[in-house]
Amino acid sequence: MKKQYDAVIVGAGFAGSVCARVLAEGGRRVLLLDRRDHIGGNAYDEKDESGVLIHKYGPHIFHTNDREVYEFLSRFTEWNGYQHRVLGRVGELSMPIPFNLDSLRIAYGEEEAASLEALLVQTYGRDTQITIGALRSSDDERLRALGEYVYEHIFLHYTAKQWGVPASEVDSSVTSRVPVRIGHDDRYFVDTYQGLPTDSFTALFERMLDHENITVTLGCDACERLTFANGEILFDGEVFLGDVIYSGMPDELFGYKYGRLPYRSLDFEFKTLDMDDFQGYGTVNYTMHEPYTRITEFKHMTGQRIEGKTTVLYEYPRSYEAKEGQIPYYAILNPENLALHARYREEAALYPRLRLLGRLAEYKYYNMDAITGEALRFARSIL
Ligand code: FAD
Ligand code: UDP
């Protein structure tokens, strides 16, 4: 084993697969392990029984301003140019999310909206965007009241559903991912490069991992093969002197020795319906008291043409309890959890050739482009 591979990488999502490719091209022999029976991590997609291409772990839309990341991934795929638009179902009303000047008209009516628009533009400028926190703490009483409206109708209940705690306990960096727009742009993301891979995410990963220096082993739990003791890493019981890149949960890697890191999970309910079009949008967010947060209809995102069938996905947030079949999806960012993560990070630092990388391992809210950028930089630094 130690003679055969220069690096063992755990997890075939973006973190692991990007590192594998870069190291392989640098002449390193890489063993890439994943416990799932497929590559792609949470970006994995496949056709369901009716032939509709679905994202098995929730809707994934690629978007970035990072040209280097875009160009790297574009070696393995073309993009369909899809620009994500989200409709909010806010009680009886339907309005664009992020909340923008059109949402303002739907919520307040023409006259009041025109007056608020003038105030918004005067305060923040036209075609700008602000955080909900900034609007709620505005100096102007009317803008503060608008901030409360948007908070209560778009953020408060959705956030409580998503995270299972009152919205006030959720880190503001999380809700700030969705801005308030002083303009008419109704796209969810405004990045320069956006889209879905023309074929599929899975095809992108297949091409990225198609390299003579990469060996992929699926259905393999790396925690059963890696051991850490006294500054040494053992793989299958033998000392391994190469690089180990780990993109799973750090508490699991170290036998939960400092306790379990909390994560948030989701229950996914897929439904295939005998119709062409269910909701007219890629995603509709349900921001009030429905038990689910959003419904995604994949055909609108992939552009796939299938008559008389469509598949939709309901997302029900859940706590992650490490039960059979449950998957941790989101780190829960609060000081206590970050402190616990820091202990595992320190433990990992005892092994200089070990790197925790990725959304679970680093306990970060990475988008696909950000983790790709991080993986590119890290793998190049090894070379
Ligand atoms: P993952 O994709 O989770 O890959 C980690 C891999 O490691 C998994 O395949 C896992 O099986 C494997 N693994 C873990 N432990 C072990 C072990 N012990 N042994 C073997 N294998 C192991 N980002 C966007 O940019 N746009 C979006 O629209 C978007 N939508 C999202 C929607 C949802 C519902 C979720 C949950 C995430 C979304 N993301 C989106 C984020 C995106 O999924 C992540 O940025 C990306 O998956 C992170 O890649 P990763 O390699 O760190 O982790
Ligand atoms: N959010 C909200 N209402 C919405 C959309 C998002 O309150 O209609 C909040 C919620 O707290 C969510 C966060 O903003 O967790 C980030 O939203 P994003 O769409 O980026 O979440 P993701 O796609 O990563 O689940």
Side-chain angles (χ1 to χ4, degrees), residues 12-15 17 36 38-46 53-62 196-197 200-205 208 298 329 368 371-372:
F14 274 100
S17 300
R36 294 178 183 173
H38 59 73
I39 55 174
N42 288 340
Y44 172 75
D45 51 10
E46 65 182 9
L53 182 63
I54 57 161
H55 295 180
K56 187 171 176 184
Y57 305 100
H60 280 69
I61 300 101
F62 180 75
L196 268 64
S200 63
F201 278 104
T202 301
L204 181 165
F205 279 92
M208 183 154 56
F298 293 100
Y329 288 113
M368 293 182 280
I371 185 56
T372 298

Side-chain angles (χ1 to χ4, degrees), residues 10-17 33-36 38-43 57-63 84 177 189 220-224 246-249 252-253 266 268 294 315 328-330 357-361 365-371:
V10 181
F14 274 100
S17 300
L33 308 173
D34 205 298
R35 57 154 63 117
R36 294 178 183 173
H38 59 73
I39 55 174
N42 288 340
Y57 305 100
H60 280 69
I61 300 101
F62 180 75
H63 56 100
H84 197 42
R177 288 166 58 92
F189 310 112
C220 167
D221 185 347
C223 291
E224 290 173 1
Y246 177 81
S247 67
M249 298 189 294
E252 185 181 17
L253 185 66
L266 295 165
F268 291 127
R294 56 188 180 189
E315 289 179 48
Y329 288 113
Y330 298 90
L357 186 78
R359 196 158 150 129
L360 298 174
Y365 207 149
Y366 275 127
N367 286 332
M368 293 182 280
D369 64 323
I371 185 56

Side-chain angles (χ1 to χ4, degrees), residues 97 154-156 158-159 162-163 170 174-175 177-178 188 285 287 294 315 330 359 365 367:
I97 290 179
I154 306 291
F155 289 95
L156 185 70
Y158 187 109
T159 298
Q162 176 71 9
W163 298 99
V170 173
V174 172
T175 41
R177 288 166 58 92
V178 179
Y188 205 63
N285 280 7
T287 64
R294 56 188 180 189
E315 289 179 48
Y330 298 90
R359 196 158 150 129
Y365 207 149
N367 286 332

Side-chain angles (χ1 to χ4, degrees), residues 239-257:
V239 173
F240 182 65
L241 298 172
D243 293 294
V244 176
I245 300 170
Y246 177 81
S247 67
M249 298 189 294
D251 53 348
E252 185 181 17
L253 185 66
F254 293 116
Y256 306 101
K257 66 190 285 188

Side-chain angles (χ1 to χ4, degrees), residues 118-125 138 140 143:
L119 187 56
L120 283 164
V121 170
Q122 185 193 345
T123 312
Y124 302 108
S138 161
D140 185 287
L143 290 183

Side-chain angles (χ1 to χ4, degrees), residues 89-375:
R89 284 288 296 161
V90 185
E92 294 301 305
L93 300 177
S94 296
M95 61 180 76
I97 290 179
F99 192 91
N100 68 7
L101 293 179
D102 297 311
S103 318
L104 185 69
R105 275 185 169 64
I106 292 161
Y108 280 83
E110 189 60 43
E111 205 176 317
E112 177 72 0
S115 153
L116 282 166
E117 174 177 337
L119 187 56
L120 283 164
V121 170
Q122 185 193 345
T123 312
Y124 302 108
R126 187 169 288 284
D127 294 327
T128 53
Q129 57 183 42
I130 53 174
T131 64
I132 181 61
L135 190 58
R136 289 180 79 203
S137 56
S138 161
D139 293 337
D140 185 287
E141 198 180 322
R142 289 182 67 209
L143 290 183
R144 275 204 308 280
L146 172 62
E148 284 318 300
Y149 175 90
V150 177
Y151 186 68
E152 279 172 23
H153 289 83
I154 306 291
F155 289 95
L156 185 70
H157 305 293
Y158 187 109
T159 298
K161 287 192 277 189
Q162 176 71 9
W163 298 99
V165 292
S168 55
E169 290 174 28
V170 173
D171 194 272
S172 63
S173 68
V174 172
T175 41
S176 299
R177 288 166 58 92
V178 179
V180 175
R181 295 228 180 95
I182 327 296
H184 295 279
D185 195 338
D186 64 347
R187 296 171 304 160
Y188 205 63
F189 310 112
V190 292
D191 304 51
T192 309
Y193 308 104
Q194 304 192 26
L196 268 64
T198 315
D199 314 327
S200 63
F201 278 104
T202 301
L204 181 165
F205 279 92
E206 279 166 0
R207 291 185 204 111
M208 183 154 56
L209 295 175
D210 181 15
H211 192 288
E212 58 183 5
N213 286 339
I214 301 176
T215 304
V216 178
T217 303
L218 298 174
C220 167
D221 185 347
C223 291
E224 290 173 1
R225 301 181 65 180
L226 286 165
T227 330
F228 297 85
N230 310 320
E232 276 188 337
I233 304 179
L234 306 186
F235 189 81
D236 291 342
E238 284 183 50
V239 173
F240 182 65
L241 298 172
D243 293 294
V244 176
I245 300 170
Y246 177 81
S247 67
M249 298 189 294
D251 53 348
E252 185 181 17
L253 185 66
F254 293 116
Y256 306 101
K257 66 190 285 188
Y258 302 121
R260 282 184 186 269
L261 274 165
Y263 288 92
R264 193 81 178 141
S265 187
L266 295 165
D267 280 352
F268 291 127
E269 188 187 5
F270 290 90
K271 289 185 193 173
T272 298
L273 309 167
D274 293 324
M275 56 176 76
D276 287 331
D277 185 353
F278 171 70
Q279 61 183 17
Y281 275 77
T283 296
V284 176
N285 280 7
Y286 287 80
T287 64
M288 300 303 280
H289 302 292
E290 304 79 3
Y292 40 87
T293 47
R294 56 188 180 189
I295 303 178
T296 292
E297 185 172 12
F298 293 100
K299 276 164 68 179
H300 294 295
M301 296 173 15
T302 57
Q304 192 186 15
R305 289 203 189 89
I306 292 188
E307 278 180 26
K309 294 268 181 221
T310 190
T311 299
V312 297
L313 168 62
Y314 291 66
E315 289 179 48
Y316 297 86
R318 294 277 177 267
S319 61
Y320 172 70
E321 289 149 351
K323 286 189 187 143
E324 181 74 25
Q326 267 190 346
I327 296 175
Y329 288 113
Y330 298 90
I332 303 172
L333 304 177
N334 65 36
E336 197 186 330
N337 297 351
L338 291 174
L340 179 55
H341 181 261
R343 295 189 72 184
Y344 285 110
R345 209 176 48 227
E346 283 161 23
E347 182 79 18
L350 299 175
Y351 303 88
R353 302 298 289 268
L354 169 66
R355 166 74 194 238
L356 304 180
L357 186 78
R359 196 158 150 129
L360 298 174
E362 293 179 83
Y363 212 68
K364 278 192 180 168
Y365 207 149
Y366 275 127
N367 286 332
M368 293 182 280
D369 64 323
I371 185 56
T372 298
E374 203 54 38

